[in-house]
Amino acid sequence: MTIKKLAAILGLSHTTVSRALNDHPAISQATKNSVLQAAREYGYIPNSAARALRNASTGAFGLVIPDIQNDFFITITNAIAHQAAEQGWQMMLAITGDKPEMEHTVLRRLMTARVDGIIFAPTASPLDESRELLLRTNAVQLLRRHDSLPAPVIAIDDRYGIHLAVQHLRGLGHSRIGYIGSSLALSTGAERLQGFLQGFSAEEQAALEDVIAMGPPQAAFGGEAFARIMGSANPPSALVLGSPRYAMSILLAAKAQNIRIPDDLSLVAYGDVSWGSLLDVKLTTITLPETEIASACVAIIRQWMSAETPVTPEAFYAATQSHIFTPQLVPGGSTSAFTPRR
């Protein structure tokens, strides 16, 4: 069904039907109602591509994330999608798998679809071609940042968050504290490690080298790193997890090794996990401001959608500030005061 066919059925001009569908003030409400009713009956669907050529906004935006297994990204995606649906916006979700080539592919496809803007979590090493694409569109970096990219950032003060975990454990008397974090190639991994190290003197840092493990933000790595750290000659009395992806594998590994939490090992996790309520012991966590982050993303999207004329990337980047949110530590039952091993 096209506008021309709909116009022929109604005995109206093509222009009148088009204006009625777009709520033009020159068309009477009675005519609008009859056109909308016929459009529903005959299954007319507006051509969004054609409409995009006429209007400043397509009503669509891209959300590009590494995967849909990370609890943080799942929560953010659901929150943005829900608000987008309420506003009548179209969200196009793309997954990169943390691969630069896939990142370039999805960015190019989104731009081909004429989205008004893109919110994305960059990979560790974006291709030059991706950087060139981002110079031609409005984009925002989510959670992660890459200094070579021009886009502003909506992120968390990762360094402060991990430092809160160290302060909490040191306040409980722990001094030999281990850390499992994501790759230093990611901005989040580098910032969180710095937050951990700043809680110790240079001498203390040197003594902790054997209980610090860095790797990909994947569950399997968490379990492997845990086994290595706890199998050392002098295992830590407490452990900080730099990614929520590690929590499940580490808890399973601890159970397999008969390591009791918090009796044998105090544990602080970075970020909430959706299955946390199923545990016998509530995790001590660094809680991330997911609602505030989602709201900041929606505010950016609204800026794109409400523009009467297209906003150039240069103007957007010059006028848009980064937002860095502060996490909080929420004590739970997975941490307790240090007691010397017998």
Side-chain angles (χ1 to χ4, degrees), residues 2 9 23 26-27 62 86 104 106 126 134 181 200 223 228 243 262 280 314:
T2 65
I9 292 171
D23 198 25
I27 305 300
E86 288 183 340
H104 174 249
V106 300
L134 291 169
F200 303 94
R228 186 166 65 250
S243 169
D280 293 333
E314 293 85 355

Side-chain angles (χ1 to χ4, degrees), residues 26 28 69 73 76 91 104 107 109 140 147 151 155 177 180 189 197 200 256 276-278 287-288 290 301 307 333 337:
S28 71
Q69 296 176 319
F73 285 118
I76 295 297
M91 185 182 84
H104 174 249
L107 288 175
R109 287 176 177 171
V140 174
D147 291 338
I177 303 171
I180 299 177
L197 294 175
F200 303 94
S277 61
L278 301 177
T287 299
L288 310 182
E290 295 161 340
I301 298 166

Side-chain angles (χ1 to χ4, degrees), residues 154-229:
I154 296 176
I156 300 164
D157 191 341
D158 290 304
R159 185 177 300 204
Y160 175 73
I162 294 295
H163 184 60
L164 282 178
V166 174
Q167 284 184 315
H168 172 71
L169 292 169
R170 299 213 71 163
L172 292 172
H174 297 276
S175 57
R176 187 159 175 77
I177 303 171
Y179 178 71
I180 299 177
S182 53
S183 170
L184 293 177
L186 295 170
S187 64
T188 48
E191 286 294 309
R192 292 171 195 173
L193 177 61
Q194 288 304 310
F196 177 79
L197 294 175
Q198 75 182 41
F200 303 94
S201 66
E203 184 178 352
E204 288 173 325
Q205 290 178 22
L208 293 175
E209 285 183 358
D210 62 328
V211 291
I212 295 176
M214 309 296 293
Q218 297 171 1
F221 171 75
E224 295 166 3
F226 180 81
R228 186 166 65 250
I229 287 173

Side-chain angles (χ1 to χ4, degrees), residues 19-79:
R19 288 182 173 182
L21 290 170
N22 287 284
D23 198 25
H24 195 284
I27 305 300
S28 71
Q29 191 58 50
T31 300
K32 290 177 184 178
N33 291 342
S34 64
V35 169
L36 290 173
Q37 178 63 31
R40 285 191 292 269
E41 288 179 3
Y42 291 99
Y44 169 74
I45 299 174
N47 186 331
S48 59
R51 185 168 54 192
L53 294 175
R54 298 190 300 272
N55 302 328
S57 171
T58 63
F61 67 94
L63 179 62
V64 181
I65 58 177
D67 58 61
I68 52 172
Q69 296 176 319
N70 185 306
D71 280 315
F72 173 83
F73 285 118
I74 291 173
T75 301
I76 295 297
T77 299
N78 283 336

Side-chain angles (χ1 to χ4, degrees), residues 168 260-263 265-267 280-285 330-336:
H168 172 71
R260 298 168 302 166
I261 295 173
D263 298 339
L265 179 72
S266 284
L267 190 68
D280 293 333
V281 176
K282 184 181 184 298
L283 290 176
T284 295
T285 60
V330 178
S334 65
T335 52
S336 63

